[in-house]
Amino acid sequence: MRRLILGTAGHIDHGKTTLVRALTGVDTDRLPEEKRRGITIDLGFAALSMDGLDIGIVDVPGHEGLVRNMLAGATGIDLVVLVIAADEGVMPQTREHLAIMELLEVRAAVVALTKADLVESEWLDLVAADVATTLGDTRFAGAPIIPVSSTTGVGIPALRDAIAHAAATVTERRTDDVFRMPVDRAFTVHGTGTVVTGTVWSGEVRRDAQLVIMPSGVAARVRGIQVHGASRDIAYAGERAALALAVDRATIDRGDTLVDGAAWRAASIITARVRVVGSADRPLRHRQRVRFHLGTTEVLARVAMLEQPAIEPGDEAWVQLRLEEPCAARAGDRFVIRSYSPVHTIAGGAVAEPDAPKRKKLTRQLSQLLDGLTGSDAFEALLALAGKAGVEPARLPLLLPAAARADLAPAGSRHTAFTAGGRLYPEAAGAAAHATVIAAVDAWHRDHPLARGIPPANIRTLAGHEPAPVLDWALRRLLDDGSLRTDEGAIARNDFTRATNAGQGVAADRIISILRGAGRQPVAISDFPDDLRARADLIAILRFLEDRGSAVAITTDRFMDPGAVASLVQEMAAQFEAGTALTMTELKDRIGVTRKHLMPILAFLDLHGYTRRSGDDRIWTGRPTPLEPSDSAPGAGS
C-alpha cells in the first residue's frame, strides 16, 4: 500500500471542504465557528483509499488571513488539488496558494473546477482556458483540469482517476528514514492525556517509542497511535497520525516537531538558497524582518544576504535566516517566507545548512561548496564546510539532502573521508594534520638534536590549531606507515639520529673527562665549571651521554663515569657473598669515598638491586649482571 498526503488549495469559499466531503464522505470542518461561518478556519483531515493507495487529505483554509494555517498543512503534502470555483475563476488566494505550492515544490497537481453545475459550458471552457494559462508558467503546467459538482457528484469519479494518475508519478516517502512529525494540533483527551496530530514526514513511529519534542528537547513516550481514527501499533511516513504522549500538555504545541534519536539540533541560523516570487512588489533586502514557515512552524527571522544587497522578484541567491526562535530543520526542507507587515508570501527556498555557523559575504570557494550541498558531491561539500569541526556520522541523514542520503551505507564508504574521535573529517583535514605533525617533529629535532624525540603532549602544544582527535589519528597513521617511530615514549622521524653539533661535542668531551677524573666521586651539576653550567643544553648533553653509555646518572643531578661504576660493582661482587650485611663504615672504607659521596652511591645501588637496605646496614644481593664499562665517547659532531 502506497501512502501519500494530498492537500487542497484555493480561494475562500471555492468549495474545498465540500469537495473533500464528496470524495471521502468526511466533513473536515470540525470547529463550531467553521460550521457557523461556513468556511474552513483551521486544518481539516480525511482519508481517501483507492486501489493500492492510502491517501491522507489535508483540507486547508483559503482566507487570506488564515494562510499561516494553510502553510501548517501545505508543507507536508505530496500532491495538491487546486480548487477553483467555475463561477469565479482564478482569485487572489488562488495565486498565493499556487505560489506557495511552487515554493514548496509540491510534486504533482490536479485542478478541480468546482461548482461546474452553476455555469454554462461556454463559461466553463473560458475558465478552464484561463486556469491553463495561469498554470502555464509554473511547475504544474499541463496539470489535468477536471470540472466537478460536489453537490450533484458530476466529475467526482474523473477527479478520483486524475488523483490516482498524479499519485502514481509521486515517489512514496521513505519509512526507513529518521522519524519526524511536525505537530499541527495538540489537545487533551479525558482518560488519554496529551494528544498531538500531524503528518508523518519521514520514517515510522511505534507504540512505546521514545521521542523528542523539538526545539525544546523534552522527551516524550508514545502511549498510543491512531491513523484516521483507527488504533494502530505503528504509523508510517505519508500518513496522518494522532499520537497519545506521556507528557504534560504545556510542553508541546503546534509548531513543535516530534523526532527520534539524539542527532537533532535546534536550528537558530539556516543557510538557504532563496527565490523571490516573480509577483512580489519589491525585492527581498538585507536585514529585512520576515515570517519563516517550515512545517507547522512559524517564526520571525532576519534575512542576511550572502551575495548581494537584495534579491529582485524572480531571482534567487544564498542567504542566511537568523531565526528569533529555534526550530527543527533538516537539509533539503522546503520553506516559505512571508513579509512581516502587511503579510503576504514573498519568497521560499530549501534548507542547505540547518543549524549553520554565522556566515558573512561568500567567497568564491564558499559559494562553490554551498552549491555542492545541493548536488552529487554533497557529502564532500558538507565535510569541507565543517572543516576542523568535523561531522557526527549520526547527523548525516539530517545534514544531507535526500539525493545524497542513499549513498551513505555505510557512512562515507565511497567518499574520501576518515573518522577520528567519533567524527567524520575531509581528507584534506587529514593531510593537513599529517603535515602539522611532521612539521612539529622536524622542528623539535632541529631545536633539540640530542633528544630522543618530541613528547606527544608537545605535538599537541605546537599544533594546537588542529583538533586533538585529528592529530591523534594522523600520529597513529604516521607511526603505522613507518614515517615516525616511538623511542621511550618520544616521537621521532624514523631515520632520525641523535648527534651533537661541534660545540656540543666539545662540551661532551669535557664532561666525560671531568667524570673520569672524579673516579668514584659522583659529580653534581653544580660542581661543573661555570661555562658548562651556563649552557642551556647541559642537561640534554648529560642525558645524551647517559643514553650513549658515556655517563651514569647516580641521582637526578649527580653523574659518574661508567667505568668507575662498573669497577666498583665488580670489586664488591668479587669480595662479598650474596646476603652479606655491610655497615655504613665498611661501605665507606671499601668504596673509598666520604659520606657525602657515599649516600648517592648507595641510593643508586639500592635502586638497581645491587644492595637492599636493612635498618642502618646494606645487604649485598649479588646482582648477576654488573654494569660494563664504556670506552666510547661521542666526540664533536657524532
Side-chain angles (χ1 to χ4, degrees):
M1 179 72 72
R2 300 181 68 240
R3 304 173 184 88
L4 298 173
I5 298 295
L6 178 148
T8 65
H11 194 72
I12 185 174
D13 202 30
H14 274 208
K16 294 186 294 297
T17 301
T18 306
L19 178 64
V20 171
R21 185 167 60 244
L23 284 169
T24 67
V26 176
D27 184 358
T28 56
D29 278 347
R30 55 185 174 78
L31 301 178
E33 188 178 358
E34 292 175 332
K35 300 293 188 185
R36 180 176 59 81
R37 295 174 60 185
I39 63 171
T40 298
I41 296 173
D42 207 342
L43 303 174
F45 309 102
L48 175 62
S49 293
M50 294 187 285
D51 291 341
L53 274 176
D54 187 359
I55 297 178
I57 297 180
V58 181
D59 182 25
V60 302
H63 192 279
E64 190 279 332
L66 301 171
V67 172
R68 62 188 297 269
N69 287 1
M70 175 266 181
L71 278 164
T75 48
I77 68 176
D78 300 303
L79 64 158
V80 61
V81 172
L82 183 62
V83 180
I84 302 173
D87 58 344
E88 289 190 321
V90 176
M91 298 293 283
Q93 263 55 67
T94 310
R95 297 185 185 279
E96 182 166 19
H97 283 205
L98 182 59
I100 289 170
M101 294 301 113
E102 278 211 276
L103 291 172
L104 296 176
E105 293 191 353
V106 173
R107 291 171 283 178
V110 175
V111 178
L113 283 185
T114 57
K115 306 182 183 181
D117 56 322
L118 301 182
V119 300
E120 300 294 334
S121 60
E122 291 83 357
W123 178 259
L124 190 63
D125 292 340
L126 288 173
V127 173
D130 182 49
V131 171
T133 300
T134 301
L135 296 179
D137 295 330
T138 74
R139 66 187 289 111
F140 306 120
I145 301 172
I146 312 297
V148 298
S149 169
S150 300
T151 55
T152 67
V154 171
I156 296 299
L159 181 61
R160 284 173 174 266
D161 291 341
I163 290 172
H165 181 75
T169 68
V170 176
T171 303
E172 189 177 14
R173 294 171 184 258
R174 290 175 52 188
T175 58
D176 60 347
D177 198 357
V178 295
F179 170 76
R180 177 165 59 153
M181 189 183 91
V183 175
D184 50 43
R185 290 178 62 204
F187 48 91
T188 301
V189 175
H190 182 70
T192 299
T194 301
V195 176
V196 299
T197 66
T199 298
V200 181
W201 273 21
S202 59
E204 60 184 36
V205 61
R206 297 175 181 273
R207 186 191 302 271
D208 293 324
Q210 292 290 338
L211 302 179
V212 177
I213 303 169
M214 296 296 292
S216 67
V218 173
R221 182 176 63 85
V222 179
R223 298 172 59 188
I225 299 173
Q226 282 193 356
V227 176
H228 297 303
S231 294
R232 295 257 292 268
D233 290 327
I234 184 169
Y236 299 97
E239 291 186 323
R240 290 288 310 171
L243 307 182
L245 302 177
V247 71
D248 189 271
R249 167 65 184 85
T251 63
I252 191 166
D253 213 332
R254 173 183 285 189
D256 290 331
T257 303
L258 285 168
V259 300
D260 61 359
W264 289 86
R265 303 285 184 274
S268 295
I269 300 178
I270 289 171
T271 306
R273 188 80 175 170
V274 165
R275 179 171 64 85
V276 176
V277 298
S279 59
D281 58 2
R282 65 191 66 184
L284 183 64
R285 299 190 180 278
H286 182 61
R287 297 289 300 164
Q288 183 173 336
R289 198 178 192 208
V290 297
R291 300 174 186 273
F292 173 80
H293 294 263
L294 192 158
T296 59
T297 299
E298 177 192 7
V299 297
L300 296 176
R302 293 279 182 183
V303 180
M305 296 291 170
L306 299 180
E307 295 183 290
Q308 55 208 44
I311 307 176
E312 297 294 332
D315 291 342
E316 62 180 60
W318 285 106
V319 307
Q320 280 203 316
L321 296 160
R322 314 278 169 81
L323 309 183
E324 296 183 15
E325 298 176 54
C327 73
R330 184 182 188 184
D333 282 350
R334 303 295 307 185
F335 60 84
V336 170
I337 294 175
R338 307 192 81 213
S339 53
Y340 178 66
S341 180
V343 183
H344 53 272
T345 302
I346 56 174
V351 174
E353 289 185 297
D355 191 26
K358 185 177 287 188
R359 301 196 185 282
K360 297 183 180 180
K361 292 294 183 181
L362 295 186
T363 63
R364 180 184 179 91
Q365 179 185 23
L366 186 54
S367 179
Q368 290 174 342
L369 289 175
L370 289 177
D371 289 340
L373 284 178
T374 63
S376 59
D377 296 329
F379 181 82
E380 283 78 7
L382 173 65
L383 292 189
L385 286 165
K388 294 177 181 179
V391 175
E392 297 174 53
R395 298 207 70 210
L396 289 177
L398 309 180
L399 301 178
L400 290 172
R405 294 171 204 154
D407 204 21
L408 296 173
S413 58
R414 79 165 184 87
H415 303 279
T416 52
F418 66 94
T419 303
R423 301 180 78 87
L424 282 165
Y425 295 89
E427 185 181 36
H434 274 112
T436 298
V437 172
I438 290 295
V441 173
D442 287 347
W444 190 268
H445 286 334
R446 183 182 63 249
D447 298 337
H448 306 83
L450 300 182
R452 294 180 179 277
I454 180 173
N458 289 69
I459 293 179
R460 297 188 182 95
T461 300
L462 292 174
H465 59 286
E466 298 286 353
V470 177
L471 277 179
D472 291 342
W473 175 87
L475 182 55
R476 288 193 301 271
R477 290 286 296 270
L478 290 166
L479 289 170
D480 290 343
D481 69 18
S483 299
L484 301 178
R485 71 170 191 264
T486 57
D487 190 347
E488 295 189 5
I491 307 299
R493 281 276 205 167
N494 201 40
D495 58 355
F496 170 69
T497 301
R498 300 162 69 197
T500 58
N501 58 32
Q504 291 170 332
V506 171
D509 288 342
R510 288 182 61 197
I511 291 171
I512 290 170
S513 178
I514 291 169
L515 295 181
R516 286 177 176 171
R520 293 183 178 180
Q521 295 183 3
V523 180
I525 291 176
S526 59
D527 295 334
F528 286 112
D530 291 345
D531 62 323
L532 284 177
R533 285 189 288 110
R535 294 185 67 100
D537 58 357
L538 175 60
I539 298 298
I541 294 173
L542 285 166
R543 297 304 178 204
F544 175 69
L545 292 175
E546 182 184 6
D547 291 342
R548 288 292 184 88
S550 299
V552 176
I554 299 302
T555 62
T556 57
D557 63 346
R558 286 176 171 82
F559 297 83
M560 285 180 64
D561 173 59
V565 175
S567 67
L568 183 153
V569 171
Q570 290 168 355
E571 180 181 311
M572 294 184 70
Q575 294 183 14
F576 302 117
E577 296 285 340
T580 302
L582 301 170
T583 66
M584 292 289 289
T585 301
E586 288 175 312
L587 287 166
K588 183 166 67 71
D589 293 342
R590 183 64 63 188
I591 296 173
V593 294
T594 64
R595 184 178 179 85
K596 170 187 173 182
H597 295 118
L598 175 65
M599 298 311 294
I601 290 175
L602 290 179
F604 173 82
L605 294 174
D606 289 346
L607 178 65
H608 290 277
Y610 294 105
T611 59
R612 59 180 173 83
R613 190 164 183 167
S614 177
D616 292 333
D617 297 337
R618 291 296 194 283
I619 305 298
W620 179 255
T621 64
R623 181 181 171 94
T625 308
L627 295 174
E628 295 294 335
S630 172
D631 295 326
S632 63
S638 64

